């Protein structure tokens, strides 16, 4: 069955001056415009294409990479606005339409917004909505546990930290004290780990690994930093959290644990205000 607003594997039926016509099953033929037809393509070849609607609401196939598929969230830039709504660049020739009723605030050309891509049940067109919070579902305890790695889409800053969408499905929060170095920005896609699943199904997450693995990982980073610095770094137990965060983008706790790991492995020597690599 053909999936609108998604990737499909379709068989080439024939070629014309307009492009290649693909077998869309019960839907009929789907045109892949000439611009996307490769010279090596032949009838009966099966090609992987993204299927959406062109300016005339006809099915077309492309091998362009969209920034989001139907059923996904993404941060998209407003290309232009008219009396009906806003049109966002989602990586395809035709922009994604977001009607005014689906905007949390009036969209302005050049701004970026987190939107959800879906098929309008009334018009059967692919559209977007910026009213995304009600589309996020509670995370299940059987699926999310402390330390699990997840994908994060940064939504916006809050008084507590940064609100994120976890694994394209759930609401999450990165607390300010879990961020070291440069803060994330709206639309950033990050890897993170689960810190806690709250009773309401929302997730507290970190953009650094937690547990023993986190300290082992930073221990490796610290070794690389020592090598790059010629074997000595002007840091130690008495270095301030601010100095450590500015230099390594980790907390002082993470720094000290990693330093302790390297010391026990006899890979570093410690003196007042200095770490030295053991050769």
């Amino acid at each position: 069955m053909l999936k609108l607003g998604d990737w499909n594997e379709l068989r080439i039926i024939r070629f014309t001056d307009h492009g290649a016509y693909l077998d869309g099953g019960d839907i009929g033929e789907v045109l892949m415009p000439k611009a996307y037809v490769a010279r090596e393509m032949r009838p009966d070849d099966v090609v992987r294409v993204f299927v959406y609607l062109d300016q005339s609401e006809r099915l077309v196939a492309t091998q362009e990479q969209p920034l989001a598929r139907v059923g996904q969230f993404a941060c998209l830039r407003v290309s232009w606005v008219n009396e009906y709504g806003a049109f966002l660049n989602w990586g395809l020739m035709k922009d994604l339409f977001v009607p005014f009723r689906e905007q949390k605030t009036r969209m302005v050309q050049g701004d970026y917004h987190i939107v959800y891509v879906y098929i309008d049940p009334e018009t059967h067109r692919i559209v977007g909505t910026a009213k995304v919070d009600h589309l996020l579902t509670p995370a299940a305890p059987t699926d999310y546990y402390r330390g699990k790695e997840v994908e994060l889409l940064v939504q916006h800053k809050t008084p507590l930290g940064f609100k994120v969408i976890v694994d394209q499905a759930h609401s999450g929060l990165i607390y300010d004290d879990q961020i070291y170095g440069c803060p994330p920005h709206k639309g950033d896609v990050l890897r993170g780990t689960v810190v806690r699943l709250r009773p309401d199904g929302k997730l507290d997450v970190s953009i650094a690994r937690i547990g023993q693995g986190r300290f082992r990982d930073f221990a490796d980073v610290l070794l690389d930093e020592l090598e790059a610095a010629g074997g000595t770094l002007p840091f130690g137990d008495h270095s301030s959290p601010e100095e450590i965060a500015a230099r390594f983008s980790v907390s002082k706790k993470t720094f000290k644990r990693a330093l302790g790991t390297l010391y026990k492995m006899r890979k570093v020597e410690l003196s007042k205000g200095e770490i030295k690599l053991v050769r």
Side-chain angles (χ1 to χ4, degrees):
M1 183 176 178
L2 189 75
K3 295 180 289 184
L4 180 62
D6 208 336
W7 292 97
N8 296 261
E9 292 190 350
L10 304 179
R11 182 176 61 86
I12 298 175
I13 300 172
R14 59 192 174 92
F15 294 91
T16 72
D17 291 340
H18 301 295
Y21 282 89
L22 314 178
D23 184 3
D26 295 339
I27 302 296
E29 294 182 344
V30 179
L31 173 66
M32 180 165 63
K34 190 175 182 178
Y36 308 119
V37 178
R39 298 179 67 177
E40 64 270 16
M41 290 181 180
R42 298 289 184 270
D44 289 328
D45 283 354
V46 175
V47 291
R48 185 173 183 267
V49 291
F50 187 84
V51 178
Y52 70 116
L53 301 172
D54 67 8
Q55 302 288 353
S56 302
E57 304 302 331
R58 295 173 300 194
L59 287 171
V60 292
T62 178
Q63 291 190 314
E64 290 180 303
Q65 180 70 45
L67 299 176
R69 308 191 308 270
V70 164
Q72 289 188 328
F73 300 88
C75 185
L76 305 179
R77 182 179 181 274
V78 180
S79 296
W80 55 291
V81 179
N82 67 9
E83 64 269 30
Y84 302 108
F87 296 81
L88 280 59
N89 176 13
W90 64 317
L92 303 179
M93 186 175 296
K94 180 189 175 185
D95 292 327
L96 179 73
F97 177 55
V98 180
F100 286 125
R101 69 176 183 276
E102 296 298 335
Q103 300 177 21
K104 294 176 71 173
T105 58
R106 279 297 174 100
M107 293 183 173
V108 177
Q109 183 177 349
D111 286 352
Y112 285 83
H113 294 269
I114 302 292
V115 297
Y116 177 78
V117 183
Y118 71 104
I119 297 175
D120 187 321
E122 295 182 6
T123 64
H124 303 291
R125 296 173 179 172
I126 302 172
V127 295
T129 178
K131 298 178 179 179
V132 301
D133 288 342
H134 73 283
L135 299 169
L136 300 172
T137 59
T142 52
D143 296 329
Y144 289 90
Y145 50 85
R146 181 176 172 83
K148 179 178 180 178
E149 293 194 6
V150 290
E151 181 185 272
L152 310 173
L153 172 62
V154 179
Q155 288 182 269
H156 56 80
K157 183 75 173 72
T158 76
L160 296 176
F162 287 85
K163 191 173 182 181
V164 295
I165 295 173
V166 181
D167 287 344
Q168 287 284 322
H170 315 296
S171 181
L173 184 68
I174 308 171
Y175 286 95
D176 282 331
D177 63 4
Q178 292 290 329
I179 297 169
Y180 311 103
C182 296
H185 300 90
K186 180 169 73 173
D188 285 351
V189 178
L190 310 169
R191 298 302 300 175
T193 50
V194 174
V195 176
R196 182 172 72 99
L197 173 60
R198 291 185 243 156
D200 60 2
K202 296 179 179 179
L203 294 156
D204 293 339
V205 293
S206 170
I207 51 176
R209 291 185 62 183
I210 61 174
Q212 292 298 320
R214 172 182 172 186
F215 302 116
R216 284 196 298 273
D217 286 353
F218 180 65
D220 293 336
V221 172
L222 191 53
L223 276 178
D224 291 341
E225 293 285 346
L226 279 162
E227 288 281 5
T232 305
L233 283 170
F235 290 88
D237 283 349
H238 298 294
S239 298
S240 72
E242 292 76 20
E243 289 175 314
I244 291 168
R247 179 64 175 78
F248 302 106
S249 297
V250 297
S251 68
K252 184 167 182 177
K253 178 181 176 182
T254 298
F255 175 83
K256 290 182 68 175
R257 289 285 294 272
L259 195 57
T261 297
L262 294 177
Y263 182 74
K264 289 176 184 176
M265 295 170 68
R266 299 183 180 179
K267 292 189 174 183
V268 298
E269 294 176 349
L270 306 179
S271 60
K272 188 175 181 181
E274 188 177 79
I275 313 165
K276 185 175 289 187
L277 188 64
V278 175
R279 297 293 184 181

